[in-house]
Amino acid sequence: MFFTYLRRELRRRRKAALVVASGLALGIALVIVVNSASAGMQQAQGKVLESLYGLGTDMTVTKAAPPPSEGGRERPRFNFDAQDGDETQSSDVVMPQGFETLASSTVGKVADQSGVAGAVGGLSLSVLKVDGEFKPGEFAPRENTSGGGGSGGGGGGAGTGEVRGGGANFDVNSYTVYGTDTAHQDLGPLTSSKITDGRAFETTETDAKVAVVDSAYAKEKKYKVGGDVTIKGTKFEIVGIATADSGDASANLYIPLKQAQTLSDSKDKVTTVYVKADDSQQIAAVKSAVQKNIPGTTVTTSADLADRVSGSLSTASDLATSVGKWLSIAVLIAAFVVAGLLTMSAVTRRVQEFGTLKALGWKSGRVTRQVVGEAMVNGLVGGALGIAVGVAGAYVLTAVSPSLTAEVGSAAAGPGGGGGGMIRAGGPAGQAADKAIEIALTAPISAATIALAVGLAVTGGLIAGAFGGWRASRLRPADALRRVE
């Protein structure tokens, strides 16, 4: 009887039911789109941080480099021999980049801290290569303009003249090299790249002359797997080409850590310690423990980096987090209130119907259950419509895929993310520049988002049913008898 009456009433009042369901659907669809966009923002920010940190890294330990006036690293110097004749000369300087070096034993100390699941050291290097040639000048005798011409004259002796021409033509090139611990490749910047040609490092290649090249740099320099690249006079065989997930790699070249230490005269030194915590909820506690027990170091977590991300990605994330969520809440509240008022109004118009049913023996509780049942069906229909519209909206947002930019200041750029920006191909001036990454926005739909939509639909139906049920419970059979003509 309950379901029969329910079906007949909903069919008879299709327009009113559709209005209530549409209002709920609008609010639910907006919640789905906003939640999906927020999830896409979080994924985009995760890609940005992975491009700096590497997959699985929760924090990095570094040491800020002091200025040269306080004993820090001096500016690079190049020495060339001025030799006779045209001869190409080349010199390159390999130096740690961005940070003061730490002893390799620091990796073990960090790994021994409570809450640390793993720690791996890495060495970030900058290579400045200068090559070119000196061209000696040519001696040209001066012309005699005195007009005397005699051999015994006092003008224009034999050796009088000047050097003309000559000079130097040198090209400066800079690139980045990252020393990777091949025995522990589960942490560090290389984990954010995928090997698209060749192979990755083998765990036994701890001191081998092999290299993995970033795909963009390989394309620029025309490097191929099986070829070689020379760093400070040492040839490295290219065994793999890596493509960064975010499109911006942490370094141009990756080589085994021991080889990087040898090239830069940094034996048993690292610039960055990559740390993975046992529990993501304990990252703050691990950070405090490392700073307390290993003084002089700087610990940077993914949360610290996220605070430094700016650009359109940050702006869009703020909008989705604040404006979008508050707008969703406002629309939902309005939809619930409107649904409740419409249901209560519908009950008021059905006063004769419910009064007659009570006169025929229906209890107030049965009438209330009937009204709540109708409201719940309206809520579920609105939820189904809202889910369909919300999923369609998220799909459109993903299909359009607007590109957002994320900029991380030089204080966070480079392997380790704690300071000292990467030296780009443009030379040392790139060190002060921000690291800009372009991310395509997506709006993924998760099971939690669908569950939230269903919960909102049920909640909307209950709220509307509560309004209507309260009104129905106050009706008396005499109301129906008074209005019968």
Side-chain angles (χ1 to χ4, degrees), residues 2 56-57 66 80 107 113 121 133 142 173 191 203 205 250-251 254 338 348 362 381 420 435 456 462:
F2 174 82
T57 305
F80 297 99
V107 180
Q113 300 301 309
E133 61 183 12
R142 291 181 180 174
N173 182 34
T191 57
T203 56
E205 294 177 328
S250 296
Y254 301 88
V338 170
T348 301
W362 279 39
V381 172
K435 182 183 176 87
L456 291 175
L462 289 175

Side-chain angles (χ1 to χ4, degrees), residues 224-228 237-240:
K224 302 291 184 182
V225 172
D228 58 64
E237 180 189 356
I238 299 174
V239 297

Side-chain angles (χ1 to χ4, degrees), residues 142-150 155-156:
R142 291 181 180 174
E143 296 181 0
N144 188 350
T145 59
S146 62

Side-chain angles (χ1 to χ4, degrees), residues 336-398:
F336 288 166
V337 171
V338 170
L341 293 176
L342 287 175
T343 302
M344 188 167 64
S345 176
V347 171
T348 301
R349 291 195 298 270
R350 298 165 65 186
V351 62
Q352 292 184 0
E353 174 187 342
F354 290 132
T356 303
L357 291 175
K358 282 190 173 184
L360 294 176
W362 279 39
K363 302 294 183 181
S364 294
R366 184 176 180 182
V367 174
T368 300
R369 287 194 298 273
Q370 193 70 43
V371 173
V372 172
E374 294 176 12
M376 284 295 299
V377 172
N378 289 337
L380 292 177
V381 172
L385 290 174
I387 291 174
V389 175
V391 170
Y395 176 79
V396 170
L397 187 61
T398 302

